Amino acid sequence: MEVPRWLPLEANPEVTNQFLRQLGIYPSWQFVDVYGSDPELLSMVPRPVCALMLLFPVTEKYEAFRMKEEESIKAQGQEVKPGVYFMKQTISNACGTIGLIHAIANNRDKIDFEKDSSLKKFLDESVPMNPEQRAKYLETYEAIRVTHESSAHEGQTEAPSIDDKIDLHFIALVNVDGILYELDGRKPFPINHGRSSVDTFLEDAVEVCKKFMERDPDELRFNAIALAAA
């Protein structure tokens, strides 16, 4: 069976914010750029921050790390709270949209949805599902696919061809019940990165991003955007 393919999204707050508006989310939370990890640059990010999305290159070093991480968690186990909303990625290039869904789904209590929000409808219907069922449901959910498609054309760079091989990938970092989770639809489960809080979430999430950068010190293609109170 052929894997469905979407056009990739840019890690650009204008694009992601417009995407969320089209999905029926009031702009009380907005994505903003995170320009760097030192305290001065982090102090420019409005607070509170409820999610962070990282765009990073999928390299051989990263893939080797990912396989090792998965084996180690399967062997040792980890705590994942039942309230964590996680979905698999079965659509090629849909990682930006899945990152957005992860960011919003795990902060549903804070987000203001419009009455007929297509994203709220998707979340309400998919909460009882398992991660694989959520992925399959997204494949058939036209309202999100169409919005993704138009957002993919909104970026500052020309959208690549739908058949281009893209080696950049989005993940979301969220705080659920005081634990920082990495949510990546290419992985079999959420990754528990330890304790966090509303006040320290941005700094904690940036520490996780730094590890991604340290694994690939020759790479420059990293980009982080934070979902912050507007």
Side-chain angles (χ1 to χ4, degrees):
M1 243 183 71
E2 202 183 331
V3 174
R5 291 181 85 83
W6 290 2
L7 282 168
L9 285 187
E10 261 187 30
N12 171 339
E14 266 177 52
V15 172
T16 43
N17 289 333
Q18 190 180 347
F19 191 3
L20 293 179
R21 291 289 298 126
Q22 288 174 314
L23 291 174
I25 288 175
Y26 285 112
S28 47
W29 292 84
Q30 299 243 333
F31 276 100
V32 297
D33 282 309
V34 179
Y35 290 110
S37 59
D38 62 44
E40 199 176 320
L41 292 170
L42 291 181
S43 71
M44 292 161 64
V45 178
R47 307 295 173 113
V49 169
C50 71
L52 189 102
M53 280 174 60
L54 175 69
L55 182 70
F56 66 95
V58 175
T59 60
E60 283 177 20
K61 281 182 188 164
Y62 174 72
E63 289 294 76
F65 166 78
R66 183 168 73 93
M67 302 310 285
K68 219 167 78 189
E69 177 188 58
E70 191 180 312
E71 282 165 22
S72 142
I73 290 173
K74 281 179 175 166
Q76 294 168 11
Q78 64 168 354
E79 185 195 7
V80 175
K81 305 249 180 171
V84 178
Y85 181 104
F86 175 68
M87 69 188 291
K88 297 286 288 164
Q89 179 180 341
T90 52
I91 303 166
S92 189
N93 295 341
C95 56
T97 293
I98 287 168
L100 284 177
I101 292 172
H102 279 145
I104 300 298
N106 288 290
N107 289 289
R108 293 193 300 284
D109 54 333
K110 306 176 190 70
I111 303 289
D112 296 317
F113 294 94
E114 289 172 13
K115 196 166 84 262
D116 55 355
S117 161
S118 53
L119 182 53
K120 182 172 192 312
K121 183 170 175 283
F122 175 84
L123 293 178
D124 288 347
E125 288 167 359
S126 62
V127 161
M129 299 177 182
N130 68 32
E132 286 75 18
Q133 291 167 331
R134 290 168 183 164
K136 285 289 167 214
Y137 186 41
L138 182 63
E139 286 182 23
T140 64
Y141 201 82
E142 276 300 283
I144 292 180
R145 186 190 67 77
V146 171
T147 311
H148 172 105
E149 195 77 1
S150 69
S151 298
H153 287 289
E154 289 296 325
Q156 292 163 343
T157 52
E158 192 184 339
S161 151
I162 200 153
D163 299 317
D164 287 357
K165 184 158 172 25
I166 306 296
D167 63 350
L168 291 169
H169 185 62
F170 272 110
I171 56 164
L173 297 163
V174 297
N175 164 24
V176 179
D177 299 334
I179 302 283
L180 175 62
Y181 292 99
E182 171 194 333
L183 304 173
D184 177 349
R186 289 177 72 226
K187 294 187 174 178
F189 31 66
I191 307 294
N192 178 330
H193 283 287
R195 297 210 64 77
S196 186
S197 70
V198 174
D199 297 334
T200 63
F201 170 72
L202 178 61
E203 284 73 15
D204 298 337
V206 164
E207 283 305 311
V208 174
C209 296
K210 280 188 189 161
K211 289 180 190 154
F212 277 76
M213 296 174 187
E214 285 159 9
R215 279 192 288 270
D216 260 308
D218 304 331
E219 269 289 353
L220 299 170
R221 296 174 299 159
F222 291 93
N223 201 337
I225 55 176
L227 186 57

